[in-house]
Every structure is written in C-alpha cells, then in structure tokens.
Amino acid sequence: MSNTAIKIFIGTSDTQDKIIEQVYLFSLFKNTDAELDITFMRPKKMGWTRNNWGTPFTNFRYAVPELCNFKGRAIYTDVDMINFRDIKELWETDLQGKPMASAWDFLCDNTVDKNDGWWADSVLVYDCEKMKDFIDPIEKMKNWEGSYKKHWMKVHANSPDVEWAKKNLYHTLDSRWNSYDGQVTDYKEYGEAHFSKDYYWIDDPQQISKRPHRPKEDIWQLHMTGLSTQPWHPRYTSWGYSTHPRQDLMEVYWDYVKKVKMMEKPNYDIR
C-alpha cells in the first residue's frame, strides 16, 4: 500500500452528533501515526432526498466511490464509533480482488429473511475503481424515494444470494472491526464453545438477540449502534433512552468526552 493519506468518509448528522464526532476523531488519531484525510458526510452538504431514512446519513455510504472519482481506496464508517486499533490496518486489508470489504452480521436484514444475515454496511473498505460496476450514479441516488439500500442490495449485491455476493463483491472483514455495542456479530460461525471465559453473554432486553460480548481488549472498532443507548442521545431517533449494557465501554466514552472537552476549552490555571 502506498504512503498516500487514508481516506475516511464518516456518515453523520448536521448538528446532533458533534460530541461523538470529536470522540471518534480523538480515538482515530490516538491509535495511528498515519495521515488521515477525513470527510464528514452531512445532509446539508450532500443535499439528498432523505425520505424514510433510519438516520440522517443512511444512504450516503454508497456515494463514496464516485466522490473519489472511482480511483484508489476509501473507508466508510458511521459516526457512532470509537476506534481502538490502528486504522491503517483496516486500510491495508487484502481485499483479495473484491470491490469491497465488510464484516458479517447474522442479524443484518438481507431483504428476505433477517435471521439469515448479511454483510454490515457501517464499516466498509472500498476499491473505488472496482465499485464502479456495482453502484448507481450519485445523481440517481440522491433523488431516490424510499430505501435505496434495499434497491442496492437486490440489484447490485444480488441479495439474498450469499455465495454470489461472496464470489463477486464482498471480502469478509474480521468482525472486531465492527463490534456492535461490544457484541460478536458473526458468532454463529464458531459456536458457543469457541468463546473463552473472557467473553460473556448478555440477554437483549428487546428479545432480539443473545450474542457473546467481546472483552474490551478484543474490540478493534466499537460501533455504538443501539440508538436508545447512545449516550449523546441524538434527537433524530424516536427510540426511548436506556442504559448501555456495557458500562466498561461507556467509561471509555466518557473519558474521551472529558479529554476532547479539555482540548476544546483548555484551562490549566493553578487554583
């Protein structure tokens, strides 16, 4: 991989995710010496029709290859992240000739049966040139009514045909690069016996899932994906607020909040 800056595109809101933007940036720069070229993808900046989106940035991720003029490599992530491992390692992932890389999630909606799973789209590594054959032009996407994601998965990713997508489109990332609130998203690949005593199981209060949770030291990229438990509580979510199940991870979040606020308004006077 060349010494060019690592291009990272981050899907975010216009104003409601400011503190997690700062925390995420702090964590990225804390864990790498590489040059980072970071672009926040905001609704006002993008100017897209956003009817029926789950977040203010849901479909922006599909614009990344064209924004890079279909050249080179790029990373996309959602904003609700904390990084724990050098992002250069993700950047240098061997895509094995595939157009993109993503981690597997057994609960990801594959447009047919949510229980069958699909590749998560919240952390993506793109080969932008190869993606040209798997994406619509931005001018078409930006005015799409409804869920472009469903269209993309069916038309370009050939969902729910996992074998076709594995052969032609996706390289599967280590799921530690996209740990949903500390969970192991691809745990069914291994079975319960695989996980040591350092892993533990938390019952989902909504009875959606029961997955093993990684110890903090085994998370490379934390994705605080549960909208109700995001500690900064963006107003665009209609979910009620609740306590995050992993208070050890929230301790990291609040420590980083403290640090970025100190950098924003330093006060080193002796009192």
Side-chain angles (χ1 to χ4, degrees):
M1 194 70 62
S2 68
N3 293 322
T4 57
I6 297 172
K7 292 183 179 180
I8 305 175
F9 291 79
I10 301 172
T12 188
S13 62
D14 286 319
T15 61
Q16 296 179 44
D17 292 301
K18 291 296 185 182
I19 190 61
I20 189 58
E21 289 174 13
Q22 293 174 312
V23 166
Y24 186 22
L25 289 180
F26 175 81
S27 69
L28 285 168
F29 284 105
K30 179 178 184 291
N31 293 308
T32 190
D33 293 325
E35 180 183 356
L36 305 183
D37 178 1
I38 294 173
T39 300
F40 283 109
M41 307 179 81
R42 305 185 189 278
K44 287 183 179 178
K45 181 178 180 181
M46 298 294 289
W48 288 29
T49 299
R50 295 183 293 115
N51 296 334
N52 301 312
W53 288 20
T55 69
F57 49 86
T58 298
N59 290 334
F60 293 159
R61 67 203 73 211
Y62 303 107
V64 169
E66 185 173 339
L67 292 176
C68 294
N69 297 312
F70 297 108
K71 294 179 181 178
R73 181 173 286 212
I75 292 171
Y76 169 86
T77 79
D78 291 349
V79 70
D80 46 356
M81 305 266 180
I82 298 178
N83 173 263
F84 291 105
R85 191 177 182 94
D86 192 339
I87 200 70
K88 186 178 181 182
E89 295 183 27
L90 178 63
W91 172 256
E92 293 181 340
T93 297
D94 181 0
L95 299 184
Q96 299 182 10
K98 305 295 174 53
M100 64 190 299
S102 174
W104 182 260
D105 174 21
F106 272 104
L107 289 182
C108 187
D109 188 351
N110 66 10
T111 74
V112 175
D113 185 348
K114 190 171 184 177
N115 293 320
D116 285 348
W118 197 255
W119 289 268
D121 60 5
S122 39
V123 174
L124 301 169
V125 183
Y126 285 122
D127 180 321
C128 296
E129 182 177 358
K130 290 182 179 178
M131 280 300 298
K132 192 170 186 178
D133 295 330
F134 294 92
I135 208 76
D136 292 303
I138 286 177
E139 283 304 310
K140 182 177 181 180
M141 289 190 286
K142 70 186 296 185
N143 297 312
W144 197 272
E145 293 287 343
S147 176
Y148 177 79
K149 176 179 179 178
K150 296 285 189 182
H151 163 81
W152 184 84
M153 288 178 67
K154 290 179 179 179
V155 174
H156 297 291
N158 208 31
S159 174
D161 189 338
V162 171
E163 292 307 314
W164 183 94
K166 190 183 298 184
K167 178 181 178 181
N168 296 284
L169 183 61
Y170 286 104
H171 169 67
T172 302
L173 290 174
D174 190 310
S175 66
R176 285 175 286 188
W177 281 116
N178 195 358
S179 180
Y180 287 9
D181 293 303
Q183 300 174 42
V184 184
T185 60
D186 59 347
Y187 74 95
K188 290 183 182 179
E189 292 284 346
Y190 308 102
E192 292 190 27
H194 168 82
F195 300 100
S196 72
K197 61 182 177 59
D198 294 325
Y199 290 73
Y200 47 97
W201 298 75
I202 296 178
D203 287 314
D204 190 311
Q206 297 175 327
Q207 301 301 312
I208 296 173
S209 66
K210 182 181 178 183
R211 307 186 188 192
H213 277 241
R214 298 185 183 279
K216 181 174 62 178
E217 297 74 20
D218 197 40
I219 297 171
W220 297 352
Q221 181 102 343
L222 173 65
H223 183 188
M224 292 174 283
T225 188
L227 294 176
S228 63
T229 59
Q230 291 176 340
W232 63 99
H233 298 318
R235 292 191 304 277
Y236 54 76
T237 174
S238 60
W239 290 82
Y241 301 146
S242 59
T243 302
H244 198 283
R246 291 289 302 274
Q247 286 302 297
D248 59 327
L249 301 177
M250 292 302 96
E251 288 177 5
V252 176
Y253 169 80
W254 288 113
D255 179 56
Y256 286 7
V257 167
K258 180 180 178 180
K259 287 180 168 64
V260 298
K261 285 186 177 295
M262 287 178 63
M263 290 186 288
E264 188 177 57
K265 297 180 181 180
N267 183 356
Y268 303 127
D269 293 343
I270 298 175
R271 296 179 185 273

